[in-house]
Amino acid sequence: MPFRARTAIFRWSLHTVPYRIHHHQPHSLHSSSSFIPHKFTSLAQTQVYGESVETSDDDGFLSWLERKAGKTMLNLKFIVILILRSLFASKAIKTGDCILKVPYRVQITADNLPAKIKSLISEEVANVAKLAVLLLIERKLGQGSQWNPYICRLPWQEELHNTIFWNESELEMIHRSSVYWETINQKSQMERDFLAIRPIFECFSQSFGDITYKDFMYACTLVGSRAWGSTNGLSLIPFADFVNHDGNSEAIVMSDDDKQLSEVISDRAYAPGEQVLIRYGKFSNATLMLDFGFTVPYNIYDQVQIQLDIPKHDPLHKMKLELMQQYFVPSRKNAENLEHSWNIFTIKEVKWPKGKGKGLPQSLRAFARVLSCTNRQELDDLVVEAAQTDGRLGRRPLPDVNKEIQAHLMLSSLIGQLIEERSAAIMSLEESSNSSSFCVRVPVRRFMAQDLLRGELRILNSAFTWLENYCLSST
């Protein structure tokens, strides 16, 4: 399908690469790690929180960017830049104003790799890793890099709170969440990519010095967390990646292939001094903390992954397993883990306790109906019904009301256990936060863990309530 001339572009994610990493470690206004701005660099004077702040481009970043992009093209008339990598309005912004334009020629892509290095990188290596190699090379060049003013503004590893940088005691705080295992898997994928690329680093060690796995992991996190996917491929967009996230915002980075630029159109009015925000995507706290290194206290996109297993002692274990693998197609998100993805489900908030259960996957309820079967005839009946309808197994309520209730009670029991686990974990965090023996090096990570677990608890409680109501109304 051909791309339209003007398209939305989104942060790179697990849906398109083997591991999920997104933006810099921003301080969302709604984040536990939010801050009060104190120093600006800009081309103009502005009012911030009632104070007049004379701003200047004291490290040459904006001057460099304007030279590279062209002052008219860059369109900085509305924006000032905060040293801590956040953007604020220098003057009033109206809804519909174009507040930022960055031409493609300013953006960094894997095409900027030196030809002699690019030719050595296997096509199997993900674009995130390729761009990470470029970033490492340019960082090693220092002032000799054409991107140096931008690269100097990227956060250091010590500033990042992505879960791949958490130590064992910090990861233990989120052990009950799927983020724990996603973090382990992400680190393993990075190690595999590094092993594939390390021989290239060794070939050019005289030019770029020794590059370690730690360097590569840091670069992958920077690239994957800041990069945007578009018709132009995977790109780092200087200046645009300083805009922080608001999940409620409708403003996104757009790609205009006709004009060869990326731009942001404001979705609301801003007074001078207000932080300008966009939406990176509809991401849960699980994604935000794994990929971005921050969370929001109440995230409307929160969700919970749960796994449902067929009991080993079930006499119909083999038959049920075969049916599950045949009828329950793995989701795109889990496509790299085909052996186990068919029994992993994502629950979202069920907002109407007496409604149709939107938020609980139909495939999860179908799975429970299969599990509730106690003889081969019941399973055969489900297969016949699937053939006579839309080909999907167990999507209709079971004819036997008691069996239907049993299937949903099974789910409510499982979710009840998960609720107890999350509740205990939250209580433990709250009790231990005041203890001198609590081993978290960075307090913000404890708040992130609490945001994650509280969001998951909210989702699980909504699902549990709906299941209880469904069983009561079915009697």
Side-chain angles (χ1 to χ4, degrees), residues 122-139:
S122 169
E123 288 299 321
E124 296 178 0
V125 174
N127 283 333
V128 168
K130 292 177 183 177
L131 208 47
V133 172
L134 176 60
L135 185 60
L136 287 169
I137 291 172
E138 296 297 328
R139 186 180 283 276

Side-chain angles (χ1 to χ4, degrees), residues 75-88:
N75 192 30
L76 291 177
K77 62 183 179 180
F78 290 119
I79 300 290
V80 295
I81 185 168
L82 181 66
I83 282 185
L84 292 179
R85 294 178 292 275
S86 300
L87 299 182
F88 288 74

Side-chain angles (χ1 to χ4, degrees), residues 176-177 304-308 345 347 364 411-426 453 456-457 460-461 464:
R176 297 297 181 184
S177 173
V304 182
Q305 278 192 2
I306 69 170
Q307 181 172 329
L308 214 57
F345 304 88
I347 298 177
L364 172 62
L411 287 181
S412 66
S413 176
L414 170 62
I415 291 176
Q417 294 174 22
L418 299 177
I419 288 173
E420 291 179 3
E421 292 174 358
R422 296 303 193 283
S423 298
I426 292 170
L453 295 173
E456 293 190 350
L457 181 61
L460 292 169
N461 275 325
F464 183 84

Side-chain angles (χ1 to χ4, degrees), residues 440-454:
V440 177
R441 293 178 299 176
V442 186
V444 68
R445 296 179 182 178
R446 183 179 71 249
F447 291 116
M448 289 169 61
Q450 290 174 320
D451 284 345
L452 170 75
L453 295 173
R454 286 169 180 160

Side-chain angles (χ1 to χ4, degrees), residues 297-462:
Y298 186 94
N299 190 331
I300 61 174
Y301 301 113
D302 268 334
Q303 55 189 34
V304 182
Q305 278 192 2
I306 69 170
Q307 181 172 329
L308 214 57
D309 295 308
I310 306 170
K312 294 291 185 181
H313 57 77
D314 189 332
L316 300 174
H317 181 275
K318 183 178 180 181
M319 186 175 180
K320 289 180 179 179
L321 181 61
E322 291 174 351
L323 287 176
M324 300 299 188
Q325 293 174 333
Q326 178 181 352
Y327 285 92
F328 289 79
V329 180
S331 66
R332 183 181 177 186
K333 177 185 292 186
N334 298 308
E336 75 277 4
N337 191 4
L338 296 176
E339 183 180 355
H340 300 291
S341 60
W342 54 267
N343 64 338
I344 295 177
F345 304 88
T346 299
I347 298 177
K348 298 180 180 180
E349 185 171 9
V350 184
K351 296 182 179 180
W352 307 107
K354 295 183 180 181
K356 295 183 178 180
K358 184 178 180 181
L360 271 174
Q362 286 292 326
S363 55
L364 172 62
R365 298 172 63 191
F367 198 139
R369 291 178 179 123
V370 174
L371 288 182
S372 70
C373 292
T374 55
N375 58 67
R376 296 179 65 91
Q377 185 59 52
E378 290 175 344
L379 291 175
D380 290 337
D381 289 343
L382 289 178
V383 172
V384 170
E385 179 187 75
Q388 293 174 344
T389 54
D390 60 2
R392 298 184 298 176
L393 194 71
R395 293 303 180 102
R396 292 185 174 184
L398 296 172
D400 186 333
V401 174
N402 290 329
K403 283 282 186 179
E404 177 73 0
I405 293 175
Q406 179 186 342
H408 286 75
L409 285 177
M410 185 188 309
L411 287 181
S412 66
S413 176
L414 170 62
I415 291 176
Q417 294 174 22
L418 299 177
I419 288 173
E420 291 179 3
E421 292 174 358
R422 296 303 193 283
S423 298
I426 292 170
M427 184 177 298
S428 176
L429 280 176
E430 292 173 345
E431 292 176 349
S432 58
S433 61
N434 297 321
S435 171
S436 59
S437 62
F438 193 59
C439 300
V440 177
R441 293 178 299 176
V442 186
V444 68
R445 296 179 182 178
R446 183 179 71 249
F447 291 116
M448 289 169 61
Q450 290 174 320
D451 284 345
L452 170 75
L453 295 173
R454 286 169 180 160
E456 293 190 350
L457 181 61
R458 187 182 78 252
I459 303 305
L460 292 169
N461 275 325
S462 73

Side-chain angles (χ1 to χ4, degrees), residues 162-173:
N162 308 64
T163 52
I164 64 167
F165 298 118
W166 290 23
N167 61 30
E168 290 185 9
S169 63
E170 290 166 342
L171 284 174
E172 186 60 29
M173 295 186 297

Side-chain angles (χ1 to χ4, degrees), residues 22-57:
H22 297 276
H23 183 67
H24 70 294
Q25 181 254 329
H27 299 267
S28 165
L29 287 184
H30 306 290
S31 171
S32 303
S33 55
S34 60
F35 61 93
I36 300 298
H38 64 282
K39 184 178 179 183
F40 290 84
T41 58
S42 175
L43 304 179
Q45 186 180 60
T46 188
Q47 289 282 328
V48 181
Y49 297 102
E51 299 181 2
S52 178
V53 180
E54 185 68 39
T55 62
S56 63
D57 185 20

